[in-house]
Amino acid sequence: MTKLKTLDLQKSVIYLGFLGIFLFFAVTLRDDGFLTSRNLTNIVLQTAPATIMAIGLVFALSAGEIDLSFGSIVAVSALAAAVVLQDYPLIVGVMAGIGIGVAIGAFNGVLVAYLGLPSFLVTLATMGLFAGIARSMTDLRSIPVLNDTFTGIFGSGKLFSIPSLVIWTILAVTIGHIVYRNTKFGAHVLAVGDNPRAAQVSGIKVPRVRLYVLMLCGGMAGLAGLLYAGRLQAAKYTLGESDLMIVIAAVIVGGTALNGGKGSIIGALLGSLLMGMLNNGLILMGLKVSDQMIVRGLIILVAVAVSLRDTSR
């Protein structure tokens, strides 16, 4: 019974934390516009790309791998889409953006799955590699996105009064949750993360699963790049630069274990919204950027401690 209560509490941490932080800001910032519909909508819109990236990272971490390069993939994908859209139709630009994300993920995946290199070191290296490529692609210039259809679909548009970024978030979370919880691939991801040797013995192609999760992570980063480009109506090498800490925090706070075998897509969504709400609330409180970074760092430390304590039981 004690173990059951502990497990239930650990599963409820993200919900209790989200509710607690929301109520804190609602009370302390009630006269500063925190609870206005416009501000709450902006939180959801601003966190949409991070939520998309977090979904891919849940799959990677659940399989016992990690991708540190998704911030650089965001920039490269957004720039590629913006450049292609200048001379080619919408579909070609979209395919270029997401395709490059998947290709970079495949590059990471081959090095990890078939050459046996640690994903932490591989993606740390490719993070720097593709950050440099993003800077050299356009000589540090911002590339405008003038395709109104693209910006409507991936940024400022609405469908039945629902912003397109919200629609993309709902679609990604719904599909990600179904795949993660109700498909053979999702089961294989969790099995590989929990015990790769046992998964291999049971017939699961472990290298293929590792390759696929890193490709998925790259593809989701590519989609996030399109959302950034659509919302800002431009692409720049700095896109995704500050997302690494936020996305990892969102995923870990949301209940995904660092050493694999456990994760939650819904938890990642709540973690992403929580981090967005924190940023928004701290800005309204007048805290400096350095103070915001300290708060996020403390939250990650607490989340890691809870995650490791859970897996050590």
Side-chain angles (χ1 to χ4, degrees):
M1 182 64 70
T2 302
K3 289 184 177 180
L4 182 60
K5 288 180 179 179
T6 302
L7 182 62
D8 290 340
L9 179 61
Q10 289 167 341
K11 287 184 176 180
S12 302
V13 164
I14 179 60
Y15 302 100
L16 296 174
F18 185 89
L19 180 60
I21 291 174
F22 178 82
L23 291 176
F24 171 77
F25 285 135
V27 172
T28 58
L29 299 173
R30 61 183 181 277
D31 297 325
D32 295 313
F34 177 78
L35 286 176
T36 62
S37 58
R38 181 176 181 180
N39 185 62
L40 295 177
T41 301
N42 281 336
I43 291 175
V44 177
L45 297 180
Q46 290 167 1
T47 56
T51 300
I52 300 296
M53 287 182 272
I55 293 170
L57 190 59
V58 168
F59 280 90
L61 284 176
S62 296
E65 306 297 339
I66 191 169
D67 187 353
L68 302 178
S69 66
F70 55 80
S72 299
I73 296 174
V74 167
V76 173
S77 295
L79 286 168
V83 170
V84 171
L85 284 169
Q86 292 180 337
D87 299 309
Y88 295 95
L90 171 68
I91 186 64
V92 180
V94 172
M95 291 175 63
I98 296 179
I100 283 179
V102 174
I104 295 174
F107 177 73
N108 290 335
V110 168
L111 294 177
V112 171
Y114 296 103
L115 296 185
L117 302 179
S119 57
F120 178 87
L121 296 179
V122 167
T123 57
L124 182 64
T126 54
M127 175 179 68
L129 171 64
F130 290 104
I133 290 174
R135 282 161 169 74
S136 64
M137 282 176 68
T138 57
D139 295 325
L140 306 183
R141 291 181 294 110
S142 176
I143 304 298
V145 177
L146 305 177
N147 189 309
D148 293 335
T149 304
F150 178 89
T151 57
I153 294 174
F154 293 98
S156 58
K158 292 184 178 181
L159 180 64
F160 303 117
S161 299
I162 303 174
S164 58
L165 289 173
V166 175
I167 294 173
W168 279 111
T169 300
I170 293 172
L171 285 174
V173 170
T174 302
I175 295 172
H177 179 74
I178 291 172
V179 171
Y180 189 78
R181 290 296 180 191
N182 300 299
T183 67
K184 183 186 293 185
F185 175 68
H188 287 181
V189 168
L190 290 169
V192 169
D194 185 55
N195 191 328
R197 183 172 298 179
Q200 185 79 47
V201 171
S202 66
I204 297 174
K205 293 179 171 55
V206 174
R208 185 180 297 179
V209 171
R210 288 172 172 162
L211 171 65
Y212 286 168
V213 295
L214 289 172
M215 289 176 65
L216 177 61
C217 212
M220 297 304 278
L223 176 57
L226 298 186
L227 297 183
Y228 270 128
R231 185 163 190 250
L232 301 175
Q233 299 184 9
K236 195 175 182 181
Y237 68 91
T238 55
L239 292 180
E241 199 170 57
S242 60
D243 285 332
L244 179 63
M245 186 176 179
I246 292 173
V247 173
I248 291 177
V251 171
I252 296 173
V253 168
T256 298
L258 280 170
N259 54 354
K262 173 190 171 186
S264 171
I265 300 296
I266 304 300
L269 168 64
L270 291 176
S272 178
L273 291 173
L274 187 148
M275 298 306 297
M277 184 168 60
L278 264 177
N279 287 340
N280 181 271
L282 294 175
I283 289 171
L284 290 178
M285 290 179 70
L287 269 69
K288 297 181 295 185
V289 174
S290 57
D291 296 327
Q292 296 173 38
M293 294 174 67
I294 290 171
V295 172
R296 286 198 298 265
L298 290 173
I299 289 175
I300 293 176
L301 282 175
V302 172
V304 169
V306 171
S307 174
L308 293 179
R309 186 169 180 267
D310 180 32
T311 54
S312 66
R313 290 181 179 275

